[in-house]
Amino acid sequence: MISIQSQVAWGHVGNSAAVFPMQLHGIDVTAVPTTLLSNRPGYPTIRGRVLDAQLVADLLLGIEERGALDSSRMILSGYLGSPDIAAVVGDFVERAKARNPALIYCCDPVLGDRDRGLFVQADIPPLVRDRLCPLADIITPNHFEFEWLCGAKATTIDQMIAQAQALMARGPSTIVVTSAEFTKTPDQEIETLAVERTKDGLKAWRVRTPKLPISPSGTGDLFASLFVSARVRGSDTPDALGHAASAIFAVLERTAISGTEEMRIVESAELLVHPKRRFDAIAVSS
């Protein structure tokens, strides 16, 4: 696995949330940073910087020279930091797929959320929509990001499935929407919806988990890592969806009990692989 995301010294977002869970699943991760920061935004201070795009390009070229494109099965990208880095990642994915057509690319379009709106530089979202998503096999937006990518609201599952189908015409064959809240979603629950184009037509699955009274940063990064880990290990989309939802709920439940701002990922190691409480994905039809 090649994982291209932000990196922090303190806390769990980006690669600092994603790498450990993937390694726990037996996956050798080549982690390439897009930022080097002391901590995520939201604290009184933050140190470090977004990396220079040429440095990121050099790192990607370096792992390419070591044969990473031939030995990897998946590329995962997350928070990019700048439009230039987005372009660098696009170039890298194009080269990777040309060299190894079996490589799967998962784009986690880290652009914003319901509470804050878009929180990245203004030039990044169009690049993610128009350059990276068409290259992707899988995308894992949250509900807000999905609506932004589609340019339309999705308040029902039928609307989301229809808009996912339109989005698939631009490239990805699997779309997983996290933190989904529909008009019929119970108040104390949160949904994740996966829509996939298969040889038998369009299929969709959803999973509901209890909504906990916390909203730590990095949950999308953690979810994407768990989902692609399951896929790399051979799970189909509904099984990967159920595993990721179950494992992240276990982490969030432990985090809520501990009362900390950062997710309790490391102490939840066993639950990341074998969550005690299983939430299975169920098939839905449009």
Side-chain angles (χ1 to χ4, degrees):
M1 177 93 71
I2 300 168
S3 182
I4 311 166
Q5 304 190 54
S6 59
Q7 182 176 327
V8 294
W10 172 275
H12 298 290
V13 296
N15 271 336
S16 302
V19 172
F20 178 64
M22 292 190 284
Q23 291 171 331
L24 284 175
H25 285 79
I27 297 168
D28 194 358
V29 185
T30 300
V32 177
T34 58
T35 73
L36 285 176
L37 300 170
S38 58
N39 47 266
R40 60 169 172 82
Y43 286 98
T45 61
I46 186 169
R47 310 293 179 181
R49 60 184 58 88
V50 175
L51 297 184
D52 180 78
Q54 187 56 55
L55 173 57
V56 178
D58 286 346
L59 293 173
L60 291 171
L61 179 59
I63 65 168
E64 194 174 339
E65 291 169 341
R66 301 284 72 75
L69 300 186
D70 299 315
S71 59
S72 296
R73 296 175 57 187
M74 178 87 67
I75 298 173
L76 171 64
S77 70
Y79 183 81
L80 300 169
S82 74
D84 289 342
I85 292 176
V88 164
V89 172
D91 292 343
F92 175 73
V93 172
E94 285 183 343
R95 294 198 309 272
K97 282 179 163 284
R99 182 178 180 90
N100 182 1
L103 258 176
I104 298 170
Y105 171 42
C106 176
C107 175
D108 183 17
V110 182
L111 304 176
D113 58 37
R114 188 179 289 107
D115 295 331
R116 292 175 287 176
L118 292 173
F119 53 56
V120 296
Q121 294 181 36
D123 291 341
I124 293 177
L127 278 168
V128 171
R129 179 191 61 203
D130 301 331
R131 180 84 193 279
L132 297 186
C133 285
L135 291 170
D137 303 284
I138 303 167
I139 62 173
T140 57
N142 61 37
H143 196 149
F144 170 85
E145 292 161 341
F146 175 81
E147 291 181 335
W148 191 92
L149 291 170
C150 295
K153 293 289 185 180
T155 60
T156 69
I157 285 182
D158 286 352
Q159 287 176 346
M160 185 168 281
I161 292 173
Q163 290 168 18
Q165 188 170 17
L167 198 55
M168 285 175 178
R170 305 183 211 169
S173 56
T174 302
I175 297 175
V176 185
V177 184
T178 62
S179 301
E181 293 188 47
F182 305 110
T183 52
K184 294 185 178 180
T185 303
D187 289 341
Q188 300 306 312
E189 295 187 327
I190 196 80
E191 304 204 43
T192 306
L193 181 75
V195 186
E196 187 165 75
R197 184 176 63 239
T198 73
K199 65 181 188 307
D200 299 319
L202 197 71
K203 294 187 177 181
W205 303 268
R206 77 177 186 191
V207 60
R208 284 180 177 173
T209 55
K211 185 188 294 185
L212 295 165
I214 58 170
S215 184
S217 296
T219 53
D221 307 326
L222 177 58
F223 178 90
S225 75
L226 291 166
F227 182 81
V228 297
S229 292
R231 286 290 301 265
V232 165
R233 288 174 59 86
S235 295
D236 59 13
T237 291
D239 188 55
L241 176 62
H243 172 71
S246 302
I248 199 167
F249 176 80
V251 173
L252 293 179
E253 189 174 43
R254 178 161 287 186
T255 304
I257 293 170
S258 72
T260 57
E261 289 192 47
E262 299 291 341
M263 290 186 290
R264 310 308 296 173
I265 290 178
V266 175
E267 69 187 55
S268 303
E270 182 179 350
L271 298 174
L272 286 167
V273 182
H274 303 292
K276 291 181 179 178
R277 188 174 177 185
R278 174 76 184 192
F279 300 92
D280 290 319
I282 60 171
V284 296
S285 58
S286 177

